[in-house]
Amino acid sequence: MKVTDLRASRALLGAIAAGLLMTGLIALSAGWLARPDLLPDAGPSWYVWQRPERSTLIMAGVWSLYALHQVGFWALIWYGQQRVGKYTGRLHLVNVAALAFNAAFVLLHFAQTQLWYDGLAQDVSIWSSQFSVIILLVWVLLMENDRRGLLFGRTVPTPGGAGVREWARKYHGYYFAWAAVYTFWYHPMETTTGHLIGFLYMFLILVQGSLFLTRAHVNRWWTVTLEVMVLFHGAIVALNSPKQLWFQFGWGFATIFVITQMHGLGLSRRVRWLIGLAYVGSVGVVVSILGTAKLATLPRVPAAEYVGVFILAAIFAAGLWIARLIRPRRTPEDTPSPVPSGDQVTV
C-alpha cells in the first residue's frame, strides 16, 4: 500500500474511532438526558421519541440546523466534483473540511437533543426516514451491479442498462448525503440500543460521504461493512419490538449478503461456499427451534430490495428519457472542444 493510501485509511480509522466515542457519549448521557414524558406507542406509523406537544420555536431551530447541515454538505460534494474530480490515496482539503463540518453538526445535534430533545420526527413521518435509507441500500445494489453483479456474481440487466447505472454512480453522493443527514436529524440522540446502533451507523455513513474522491471511499471491505451494518441494526430494533421480526430482518439482510454482496470482495470459491453453508446452517437452526412458519418471513427483505432495484432503475431511465426530450439540441457550433485526456475528470 502506498503512503498516500495510508493517509486516507488512517483518516478513516480515526473517524471510525471518533464515531465510536460519540456513540459512547450518547450512551453516557442516559444519566442526565432531560427526556420529556413520552406518549405511548400507537402503532408502526407512530414515533415514540418526541415531545407530546409541538413547539414551533424548537422546530424552527431543528429545521434550521438540518438545512444548514444539508446544504453545506451538498456544497462540499459539489465543490469536490467540480474542483478536485480525481480519486487519490490522500485526503484533499475538501475532505478535511467535510469531516470537520460533519463533526461540528454531530456535536450540535447532541447539544440540541440535550436542550430541546425533538428532532424532525415531530413534523415528518417515520416512513420518510426509513425509506430514505432503504432507497440508499437499493441504490448501492443498482450501481454495483456492473462490478459485483446482482445474483451470485452475475450482472443482471436493469431498465436503462449501463447508462442508468453509470448515472446512478455519478450522482449517488447527493442522494446519500440527503438520506444520511435527514435520518440523522430525524431522531433525537436517544440512549436506547436501537438508537445507539442507528447513530453509529449514521456517523459511519457521514464519514463515508466525507471521504469522497479518496481510495478509502471505494474500499470494498469498508463499503460492504456499511451495507452489512443494517443487518445488526434491523435485527436489534426488531428484537425490541412487539412483533419480534428479528429473523426477517437479520437473516433477510444476510440473504442479500450471500446472494450479492460477498461476491464483490474477491473471495475464493471455497470461502464463498463456506459462508453460504454457514448461512444455510444458521437458518436451519433457527427454524428447528422456532418452527417452519419463520421461513415465510425470510424472502421479504431481499425480495423488496431486488424488486426495488428494478423500480429505481426504471424511474431513473424514465427521468433521463424525459431530460433528453426537453434538452435543447446542440448545433456543431455549440459543441465544446474535447478535453485533453490528461485533464479528464473522474467522478
Side-chain angles (χ1 to χ4, degrees), residues 57-346:
L57 184 61
I58 286 176
M59 292 313 300
V62 175
W63 279 103
S64 296
L65 288 171
Y66 160 70
L68 289 171
H69 191 180
Q70 188 71 82
V71 174
F73 199 10
W74 276 337
L76 288 165
I77 294 171
W78 178 87
Y79 180 89
Q81 286 191 330
Q82 297 298 316
R83 299 297 182 90
V84 179
K86 293 183 179 180
Y87 281 84
T88 66
R90 61 180 176 81
L91 290 181
H92 307 286
L93 287 178
V94 70
N95 297 126
V96 177
L99 288 167
F101 179 81
N102 280 311
F105 276 93
V106 166
L107 294 174
L108 282 170
H109 191 16
F110 180 76
Q112 172 266 322
T113 298
Q114 306 303 310
L115 294 171
W116 305 334
Y117 190 79
D118 266 340
L120 299 180
Q122 189 70 247
D123 287 344
V124 289
S125 167
I126 180 63
W127 300 111
S128 64
S129 172
Q130 292 185 359
F131 273 95
S132 68
V133 178
I134 291 170
I135 293 171
L136 184 154
L137 296 171
V138 169
W139 195 312
V140 173
L141 292 177
L142 173 63
M143 71 180 185
E144 289 278 58
N145 187 12
D146 289 322
R147 185 184 67 85
R148 69 184 180 195
L150 202 59
L151 298 176
F152 302 105
R154 296 187 177 182
T155 299
V156 175
T158 53
V164 162
R165 297 193 291 272
E166 176 60 30
W167 185 92
R169 281 190 294 272
K170 183 174 182 180
Y171 294 105
H172 76 278
Y174 296 100
Y175 178 82
F176 287 20
W178 173 78
V181 174
Y182 177 74
T183 302
F184 174 72
W185 283 97
Y186 182 88
H187 305 273
M189 284 192 172
E190 259 287 358
T191 60
T192 70
T193 304
H195 279 88
L196 292 174
I197 296 293
F199 271 107
L200 177 59
Y201 190 32
M202 287 300 103
F203 297 154
L204 298 184
I205 292 179
L206 289 173
V207 168
Q208 168 70 351
S210 300
L211 295 177
F212 51 85
L213 299 173
T214 70
R215 293 197 181 97
H217 183 80
V218 292
N219 181 292
R220 298 312 173 191
W221 286 94
W222 162 241
T223 56
V224 165
T225 298
L226 290 176
E227 288 183 89
V228 172
M229 270 195 70
V230 73
L231 181 160
F232 301 101
H233 178 251
I236 290 171
V237 171
L239 191 62
N240 293 316
S241 68
K243 291 187 177 180
Q244 291 290 294
L245 296 175
W246 52 270
F247 179 73
Q248 173 181 308
F249 288 99
W251 271 260
F253 285 115
T255 302
I256 297 173
F257 176 76
V258 171
I259 293 175
T260 303
Q261 292 160 349
M262 74 173 180
H263 299 281
L265 297 174
L267 301 173
S268 67
R269 179 176 294 182
R270 177 180 296 180
V271 170
R272 283 178 285 155
W273 268 103
L274 288 173
I275 293 173
L277 291 172
Y279 161 80
V280 172
S282 68
V283 170
V285 169
V286 173
V287 170
S288 67
I289 296 172
L290 300 180
T292 56
K294 281 288 181 184
L295 282 175
T297 67
L298 184 61
R300 292 177 184 173
V301 169
E305 290 219 5
Y306 290 126
V307 169
V309 169
F310 291 90
I311 294 174
L312 191 64
I315 292 171
F316 291 163
L320 291 172
W321 177 74
I322 293 170
R324 285 193 293 269
L325 287 180
I326 63 177
R327 184 183 301 154
R329 293 184 178 181
R330 289 182 173 181
T331 63
E333 292 78 12
D334 294 329
T335 304
S337 301
V339 179
S341 59
D343 296 327
Q344 287 181 348
V345 174
T346 303

